[in-house]
Amino acid sequence: MKKDSGEEKPRARAPSPLASGRQRLMEAALQLAATTRSLASLGLREVARQAGLNPNTFYRHFADFDELGLAVIDQLSGQLREGLRERRRRPAEAGLKLDDPADPVEAWRKAQDVVRESVALVLDFVTEHRTAYVVGIREMHGSSPVLRKALRQVLDDIGQDMTEDVLGALQLPLLQREDVAEISQLVIRQMTFFSLDYLEHPEQREQIRRQAERFVLLLFWGAIAAKAPQELAASGLRFPG
């Protein structure tokens, strides 16, 4: 008897009949592409059938499957970017500046809270949108140059958002824009791997979540330590064990 690994498998279910025709086509394409296929390999009729629509309906909403894929990317990336930015802005809204010498230990603790919330949002988001995420990762290396370019642009945009938020809201001490931009891009790209592990190994999710948090903190801690080791030592801060 085959043992259940506990892994959540994507299921091809019919899109909600209450959704618009455009949304139903997007959901249907993702469901059909969720296992081993790419969007480019799908047929118009099978997508329309999965969506419960007449095949002619497709061209009322999309010129081709690249345009459909771009619509999915735009919809989901917008939700993720706004959620991440809202969480990173919370310290600034509470009046926290990490370069405030009054209480650097408390400031670092708050920074850890921001990292924890941001990592949790990403992992929860990819879990909620598992099918779209898996298809998106596959399309990053797929046959469509249009979708490959769009997905890489999403990663760049999220990295740019993170750079602006760290510089503006968190105000990390001693780091220049180019330092923060480089760290942000590393974080965003590494989170794609953490997210895949999180989906594929549900029994290890708490461990993966902690690893992702520690990875982000290590990058920023190491950059600050490299820039000003004496100032960091004098602050009394210690990297969390």
Side-chain angles (χ1 to χ4, degrees), residues 5-201:
S5 65
E7 182 179 348
E8 300 171 15
K9 303 291 185 182
R11 299 176 181 177
R13 54 182 176 79
S16 169
L18 299 179
S20 68
R22 178 183 175 87
Q23 187 66 33
R24 289 168 68 180
L25 287 166
M26 291 162 62
E27 292 176 6
L30 287 175
Q31 290 157 12
L32 290 170
T35 51
T36 59
R37 304 175 65 184
S38 68
L39 290 174
S41 72
L42 299 178
L44 184 152
R45 290 185 178 278
E46 66 175 326
V47 172
R49 182 169 57 250
Q50 178 72 13
L53 299 170
N54 185 292
N56 293 331
T57 304
F58 184 93
Y59 290 112
R60 296 178 191 169
H61 301 286
F62 305 106
D64 51 32
F65 279 100
D66 277 349
E67 189 171 302
L68 181 150
L70 291 174
V72 173
I73 292 168
D74 183 66
Q75 181 183 85
L76 295 179
S77 65
Q79 295 173 16
L80 178 59
R81 289 177 67 187
E82 184 54 37
L84 286 171
R85 301 209 76 175
E86 188 274 331
R87 279 159 176 77
R88 287 195 295 260
R89 288 168 180 156
R90 288 179 184 176
E93 293 170 355
L96 171 68
K97 294 183 180 180
L98 296 189
D99 58 357
D100 185 349
D103 192 348
V105 175
E106 176 64 12
W108 183 252
R109 188 186 69 78
K110 293 290 187 182
Q112 293 178 63
D113 290 342
V114 173
V115 169
R116 190 174 298 112
E117 288 190 7
S118 296
V119 167
L121 174 69
V122 172
L123 297 179
D124 290 346
F125 186 89
V126 300
T127 301
E128 181 180 353
H129 302 282
R130 177 192 178 100
T131 298
Y133 185 77
V134 170
V135 172
I137 292 297
R138 188 181 302 127
E139 294 296 336
M140 285 186 67
H141 307 282
S143 61
S144 170
V146 173
L147 297 185
R148 291 199 305 269
K149 180 179 179 180
L151 287 163
R152 284 173 170 76
Q153 185 62 53
V154 168
L155 295 182
D156 289 343
D157 290 343
I158 295 175
Q160 181 63 30
D161 289 346
M162 182 174 176
T163 299
E164 297 299 329
D165 293 340
V166 169
L167 290 171
L170 298 182
Q171 300 187 27
L172 282 172
L174 309 173
L175 297 184
Q176 302 301 313
R177 171 176 287 274
E178 57 269 24
D179 301 320
V180 176
E182 184 176 8
I183 292 171
S184 297
Q185 291 298 334
L186 287 171
V187 167
I188 298 308
R189 278 158 174 74
Q190 185 61 34
M191 280 303 300
T192 64
F193 296 104
F194 281 126
S195 297
L196 279 177
D197 287 344
Y198 192 80
L199 292 177
E200 293 176 354
H201 303 285

